[in-house]
Amino acid sequence: MSTMSALETLIDLAQRESDACAKRLAAAMKAVEEAEQKLQMLHGYRDDYANRLDAAMVAGITPFARQNFVAFLDKLDAAVNGQAEVIQHARRKAEKEKKAWQESERKRLSYRTLTERAAAQALALDNKRDQKMMDDYAARSARRNSN
């Protein structure tokens, strides 16, 4: 297997790895966004329910109904706290996926650089060979003309 085809294989593998990492990163970022939206929804629901409790307190509420409101608000607070933990976990995962993608891109780009260098070396060798042929031809022509 030639150096160029080995590098091309490495580039192809690195591109596939980079694409897979990018997909995982996109999924992780979407999970963060969805978790944040759910937290916003829970905050809104909790605020709405707290406003209902305030309105019921002004209108007059039984101790049992107040206890039910407070118990439900406590459950909403627990859900908000749990969702905040979900967001932190999702953010850590997204950061991990981002680092993996960046590393795969560095690898892919380093293989590209190697390929470009190999191509430049091959071109320089071809140019040197062509120059040598031209020099040999010119030398032969000069000898023929001097005879």
Side-chain angles (χ1 to χ4, degrees):
M1 183 181 284
S2 73
T3 303
M4 285 302 282
S5 92
L7 282 173
E8 288 168 0
T9 300
L10 288 173
I11 288 171
D12 185 52
L13 292 172
Q15 182 66 53
R16 289 180 194 180
E17 179 186 349
S18 183
D19 291 347
C21 286
K23 286 178 185 176
R24 288 192 306 270
L25 174 58
M29 290 172 65
K30 183 178 180 188
V32 169
E33 184 180 324
E34 289 173 352
E36 287 173 342
Q37 288 173 352
K38 187 172 181 180
L39 180 63
Q40 287 177 344
M41 181 196 69
L42 285 169
H43 275 298
Y45 193 53
R46 193 221 179 271
D47 290 345
D48 182 53
Y49 209 74
N51 290 336
R52 282 201 233 166
L53 173 59
D54 290 343
M57 296 283 286
V58 168
I61 188 172
T62 66
F64 180 72
R66 182 186 178 285
Q67 184 180 14
N68 284 341
F69 263 105
V70 170
F72 190 69
L73 282 172
D74 288 343
K75 288 181 182 179
L76 284 173
D77 287 337
V80 164
N81 291 335
Q83 191 61 28
E85 289 177 20
V86 167
I87 289 172
Q88 290 305 313
H89 175 73
R91 285 180 179 158
R92 283 191 298 273
K93 182 169 175 48
E95 188 59 33
K96 178 182 159 203
E97 295 298 346
K98 180 181 176 184
K99 287 178 182 175
W101 174 74
Q102 288 172 332
E103 181 58 33
S104 71
E105 276 295 290
R106 272 193 289 280
K107 186 190 314 183
R108 185 184 66 80
L109 292 174
S110 69
Y111 291 147
R112 277 260 184 245
T113 301
L114 289 173
T115 300
E116 289 167 2
R117 284 183 192 158
Q121 287 173 345
L123 181 61
L125 189 61
D126 285 346
N127 288 342
K128 193 173 187 179
R129 204 174 299 126
D130 289 347
Q131 185 62 48
K132 183 174 178 357
M133 285 181 8
M134 294 295 284
D135 291 347
D136 289 347
Y137 177 76
R140 282 192 305 270
S141 291
R143 277 192 302 253
R144 270 188 256 146
N145 289 338
S146 67
N147 287 337

